[in-house]
Amino acid sequence: MARKRSKGTTTTFVFFALLSIIAFCAFVPVFAPLPSLSSHSNHHSQHKKVTTRKFEIANDMFWKDGKPFQIIGGDLHYFRVLPEYWEDRLLRAKALGLNTIQTYVPWNLHEPKPGKLVFEGIADMVSFLKLCHKLGFVVMLRAGPYICAEWDLGGFPAWLLAINPALRPRSSDPNFLRLVERWWETLLPKVAPLLYANGGPIIMVQIENEYGSYGNDKAYLHHLVTLARGHLGDDIILYTTDGGSREALEKGTIRGDSVFSAVDFSTGDEPWPIFKLQKEFNAPGKSPPLSAEFYTGWLTHWGEKIAETNADSTATALEKILERNGSAVLYMAHGGTNFGFYNGANTGGDESDYKPDLTSYDYDAPIRESGDVDNAKFEALRRVIKKHSAVSLPSVPPNNEKTGYGQIHLQEKELLFDILNRIDSIDVVESENPLAMESAGQMFGFLLYVSEYAAKDDGSILFIAKVHDRAQVFISCSSEDNGGRPIFVGIIERWSNQTLGLPKTKCLSNISLYVLVENMGRVNYGQYIFDKKGILSSVYLNGRILQQWKMLSIPLNNLNEIPKANPIIQVSYSEFIKNSALRKAKENVLKEPAFYAGRFSIDKVDHVKDTFLSFRGWGKGIAFVNEFNIGRYWPMMGPQCNLYVPAPVLHQGENVVVVLELESPDPELVIHSVDQPDFTCGRGSSKSDVHQL
C-alpha cells in the first residue's frame, strides 16, 4: 500500500464488447465464473489427491490440501495493534468472514539499530502468526524489505540513510543487498517453521511491494527471490503485488512460474479486465484472480478532511470479484494506530509538498481503530462475504466498552531547554555545518541545532533552504535581564519555507540560535522515499553561511523502544512540583516547548477500559500514557482531535499522562479523557467521501 490514486467520486468503468476465449481445461470464457469453491468440482476429481498439507496454484485457482480455495482475506498489521488485542481483532476479522490474514513485516521495527534485533512485545511477529494459526486463518506474509504501508520510510530502518557512501535501496546495489541478506538471515528462519507445508499458517510470501510503481531493476527482484528460496524452499508460493496497469506489471513482476503476480487497483474499477491483464504476467494455469489490496477506505494526512468511502458501494465492488470466484484481500480489514513516531508520509510533485499521516490509521476500515464493528461498512461487507463463504460465519462480537475518565489537570513540569541545559547525558555532536538527524544518531522525534552569531542593531535575516520537516527557531542573549531565556522567533516548515527575520537586540555577547527540528514521519512511497530529516542544507544569516554547530539529541520513548535511562522522561515523571511554584501556560508568552504532566485514577480493575484523550485547545505535540508513546497530536491542523488509548496501556490505580507541548498549551492546562474518537478539528474539520464508486 499504496500508490497515489485520484480522489474523483466516480471511476470510469471499462467495458469490453468482445470476450476472448482461452483454454481453461475445457474452453471457458475468460469472464465466466470459475468452478464453485464451496462444492466439489470436476477439476477437484482431476486434481491429484494429497495426503500432506499443501497450498498451491493450478488451473488458475488456489488449492488447499487438494481442494479449491477462495482467498477472502484482510490486512491486519500486528505492529499497529497492542499484543493484548491481537486475538480480539482477529476474532472480529473472523466474524467478518475472512479466512486469510495478510500482514507486512517492518524491518525498522525489528532492527531499530544495526544489529539490535527486536522480536518482543508489539514486534513479536511469531506469536502473532501462531495466533492466526490457532484461530484458523491462513496467512499471506509481506516480508519486504520495502513495505510502504504508510509506515516510516516504507519499513526501511532509518540508519540506512546514515551510511556512507550512500546506499541505493530498492536496487541491486551490492552494499544494500548485503544488509538485506543479513536481515533476511534473521527473519526468514523464523518464518520457515510457520510455512503451511511445515504445519504453520503461511501460504504465500510477498517479495518487495508494488515495485512496478517505483523501479525496473529485475536483478534486484531476482536476488530477493533467490534469497527467499534459499531460506524457505521451492514449494512456498512467492508473490508480487503491483498496480493493475501494464506498465506497473511490466516493471514489477517476474515472468514465468517461479513467482505469482497479484494485482491491486482502485475500488470501483472493473476488476475482470484487470484480472485478464494479470494472466499475461503469470504462467498458463497459474493466474488465479487476486486483488491483493481491495481498498475498504483510504488514508488521511494532517490538514485534510477525514477520508471515508461509501459502505454499500464498497460491498458492491467486492461482490463483483467474489461472485465469479475471484479472491480479494481487504486493505484494511482493521487499520489500527501509528503509535510512537512510526507514521509515514507522502509527497506531491516535489519533496517540499510534504503530507504526513495521522496518528490514527483507522482507514475507514470495517473494524475501526478501537475495534468497533457496529458500523455500516462491516455489515455490508459481511453480507457479501457470507454469500460466498464455504463455512458458516461466527456471530459478531459486541464493541469493546469504552469510557471517559473526565478532565485531567496537567502541571507544567519543566521547559525543554532547561532540561537539556542541566542534563550531562544528552548526546551532543559538533560539526562545522549542520548534520542530518540520521548522521547525528537521532532517528526519530527531535534534534536541537545550536549555533551563535554577532548581534546587529537592525536585526538579521535567517534562511534555511531545506528543513525536514518543521523547525521552531529561538534566540537568546546571556547578557539580557531574562537570564538568557530563549525567545521564540518563528517556524520554518518544509512545505512553506521562507526567510525568517530575527529581532534586533542590544546583546553584549554573541546571540545563541536554537533550531528545534521535528521529524514528522518519513516518506513511505514514491521517488522521494529516501527522506533524511533535520537541517539538510547550509544555514544562511544575512546571506552568509553560518557555521560551527552543535546538535543535541532528545531521547523520547518510541514504539517498543524505551531507553533504559531516559533523563527527559525521568524528569517528566518525577514528583509533581508544588502548585505555588507553577507557571501557568497563559503566563508563558515565550512559546517554549515544555513538558506537562497529570494523573488520573482508576479505582477498580474492571473499570480499566479503552479511552481517548482529547487535545482540543492544545497546539502540537507528543503524548505519553504510563510511558507508552500514544502518538502525535495536532488539533490546530486536524482533523484528528483525540488520541486512542487502549485499555492495556492503563491499570488500576494512578495513571500518568506526560505531554510534550511544542507551542501553545491549553490555557487551563486540561485535557479530557472521552469515550469516542473525534476527527472534526482544525483545517480538516469535516468529512471527505473519497474514492466513491
Side-chain angles (χ1 to χ4, degrees), residues 201-470:
I202 300 173
I203 56 172
M204 299 167 64
V205 175
Q206 182 175 298
I207 300 297
E208 245 276 347
N209 187 56
E210 293 182 331
Y211 188 71
S213 299
Y214 173 80
N216 193 23
D217 189 339
K218 295 293 186 180
Y220 165 54
L221 295 179
H222 280 290
H223 190 77
L224 294 180
V225 171
T226 300
L227 286 178
R229 291 285 179 215
H231 288 286
L232 304 178
D234 294 332
D235 293 334
I236 184 66
I237 297 173
L238 302 180
Y239 71 110
T240 57
T241 297
D242 286 285
S245 70
R246 183 171 296 279
E247 180 184 5
L249 289 165
E250 288 281 4
K251 293 193 297 184
T253 61
I254 303 171
R255 297 277 191 151
D257 62 358
S258 62
V259 179
F260 167 61
S261 301
V263 291
D264 59 28
F265 44 87
S266 295
T267 303
D269 286 355
E270 279 294 327
W272 290 94
I274 298 173
F275 291 145
K276 178 185 176 183
L277 178 64
Q278 176 194 3
K279 292 171 81 71
E280 297 182 29
F281 294 87
N282 285 306
K286 298 286 188 177
S287 192
L290 171 63
S291 173
E293 291 187 5
F294 175 89
Y295 300 107
T296 61
W298 202 246
L299 61 103
T300 305
H301 304 117
W302 289 108
E304 295 178 348
K305 298 175 182 178
I306 190 67
E308 292 189 334
T309 57
N310 180 269
D312 290 335
S313 300
T314 303
T316 298
L318 181 62
E319 174 80 27
K320 289 183 178 181
I321 296 174
L322 299 186
E323 68 184 357
R324 297 184 177 183
N325 293 322
S327 292
V329 181
L330 308 184
Y331 193 101
M332 300 289 297
H334 171 59
T337 309
N338 295 318
F339 294 118
F341 295 114
Y342 276 106
N343 67 277
N346 290 290
T347 57
D350 59 68
E351 64 176 333
S352 66
D353 186 11
Y354 172 76
K355 304 171 184 178
D357 298 326
L358 301 183
T359 298
S360 172
Y361 199 62
D362 179 87
Y363 211 82
D364 195 29
I367 305 171
R368 308 312 296 264
E369 180 179 16
S370 61
D372 284 2
V373 293
D374 184 14
N375 62 77
K377 187 168 290 180
F378 186 95
E379 294 169 1
L381 291 172
R382 188 175 189 269
R383 280 196 301 270
V384 170
I385 293 170
K386 186 176 182 179
K387 290 165 57 177
H388 302 282
S389 176
V391 298
S392 59
L393 273 53
S395 58
V396 178
N399 292 340
N400 289 327
E401 188 176 348
K402 292 170 282 296
T403 193
Y405 295 105
Q407 290 188 349
I408 303 172
H409 294 270
L410 305 186
Q411 299 175 354
E412 182 183 294
K413 294 306 300 293
E414 193 143 16
L415 298 170
L416 176 63
F417 291 136
D418 288 349
I419 298 177
L420 297 178
N421 281 337
R422 77 165 196 272
I423 293 179
D424 296 330
S425 57
I426 295 294
D427 292 334
V428 180
V429 177
E430 298 187 6
S431 175
E432 185 173 356
N433 294 301
L435 299 177
M437 277 189 175
E438 296 81 7
S439 299
Q442 182 74 23
M443 301 304 162
F444 294 96
F446 302 84
L447 188 66
L448 180 64
Y449 294 80
V450 183
S451 187
E452 60 181 34
Y453 63 95
K456 293 187 65 175
D457 290 340
D458 56 352
S460 299
I461 300 298
L462 178 71
F463 178 65
I464 309 176
K466 200 170 183 180
V467 172
H468 286 193
D469 298 302
R470 191 172 187 268

Side-chain angles (χ1 to χ4, degrees), residues 14-43:
V14 181
F15 294 94
F16 284 75
L18 181 64
L19 305 183
S20 59
I21 305 298
I22 64 169
F24 178 66
C25 297
F27 289 95
V28 178
V30 171
F31 301 119
L34 297 174
S36 171
L37 302 187
S38 58
S39 61
H40 295 285
S41 67
N42 291 334
H43 295 297

Side-chain angles (χ1 to χ4, degrees), residues 552-574:
L552 285 71
S553 294
I554 301 176
L556 295 172
N557 299 355
N558 198 7
L559 179 64
N560 215 40
E561 189 180 7
I562 300 177
K564 291 182 179 179
N566 189 331
I568 290 180
I569 293 297
Q570 287 172 356
V571 167
S572 301
Y573 277 82
S574 62

Side-chain angles (χ1 to χ4, degrees), residues 380-622:
L381 291 172
R382 188 175 189 269
R383 280 196 301 270
V384 170
I385 293 170
K386 186 176 182 179
K387 290 165 57 177
H388 302 282
S389 176
V391 298
S392 59
L393 273 53
S395 58
V396 178
N399 292 340
N400 289 327
E401 188 176 348
K402 292 170 282 296
T403 193
Y405 295 105
Q407 290 188 349
I408 303 172
H409 294 270
L410 305 186
Q411 299 175 354
E412 182 183 294
K413 294 306 300 293
E414 193 143 16
L415 298 170
L416 176 63
F417 291 136
D418 288 349
I419 298 177
L420 297 178
N421 281 337
R422 77 165 196 272
I423 293 179
D424 296 330
S425 57
I426 295 294
D427 292 334
V428 180
V429 177
E430 298 187 6
S431 175
E432 185 173 356
N433 294 301
L435 299 177
M437 277 189 175
E438 296 81 7
S439 299
Q442 182 74 23
M443 301 304 162
F444 294 96
F446 302 84
L447 188 66
L448 180 64
Y449 294 80
V450 183
S451 187
E452 60 181 34
Y453 63 95
K456 293 187 65 175
D457 290 340
D458 56 352
S460 299
I461 300 298
L462 178 71
F463 178 65
I464 309 176
K466 200 170 183 180
V467 172
H468 286 193
D469 298 302
R470 191 172 187 268
Q472 294 168 264
V473 179
F474 303 82
I475 60 171
S476 73
C477 173
S478 59
S479 63
E480 289 192 342
D481 293 339
N482 68 352
R485 288 230 59 82
I487 299 171
F488 174 72
V489 175
I491 293 173
I492 300 174
E493 295 170 323
R494 173 175 178 169
W495 52 92
S496 59
N497 198 354
Q498 297 177 343
T499 58
L500 192 63
L502 304 182
K504 57 185 178 182
T505 178
K506 295 181 179 180
C507 187
L508 302 179
S509 59
N510 281 345
I511 297 175
S512 294
L513 174 67
Y514 302 92
V515 184
L516 179 65
V517 180
E518 179 185 2
N519 164 4
M520 293 179 59
R522 292 181 180 85
V523 174
N524 57 263
Y525 175 84
Q527 61 180 319
Y528 303 115
I529 183 176
F530 308 116
D531 183 23
K532 288 187 177 182
K533 297 301 185 182
I535 297 178
L536 305 179
S537 65
S538 295
V539 176
Y540 291 87
L541 192 68
N542 300 322
R544 302 182 64 179
I545 295 177
L546 183 63
Q547 296 180 321
Q548 301 302 318
W549 289 87
K550 294 181 180 180
M551 284 135 284
L552 285 71
S553 294
I554 301 176
L556 295 172
N557 299 355
N558 198 7
L559 179 64
N560 215 40
E561 189 180 7
I562 300 177
K564 291 182 179 179
N566 189 331
I568 290 180
I569 293 297
Q570 287 172 356
V571 167
S572 301
Y573 277 82
S574 62
E575 285 300 314
F576 282 43
I577 54 182
K578 295 180 180 179
N579 288 332
S580 60
L582 295 179
R583 285 171 298 165
K584 296 295 185 182
K586 59 187 176 184
E587 299 169 357
N588 178 16
V589 296
L590 302 180
K591 295 189 71 171
E592 279 191 56
F595 286 92
Y596 301 82
R599 304 182 181 188
F600 65 98
S601 184
I602 303 176
D603 56 357
K604 297 180 180 179
V605 172
D606 59 359
H607 290 177
V608 177
K609 309 290 184 185
D610 286 0
T611 192
F612 295 84
L613 293 186
S614 172
F615 285 90
R616 279 188 180 273
W618 290 74
K620 186 180 194 303
I622 312 293

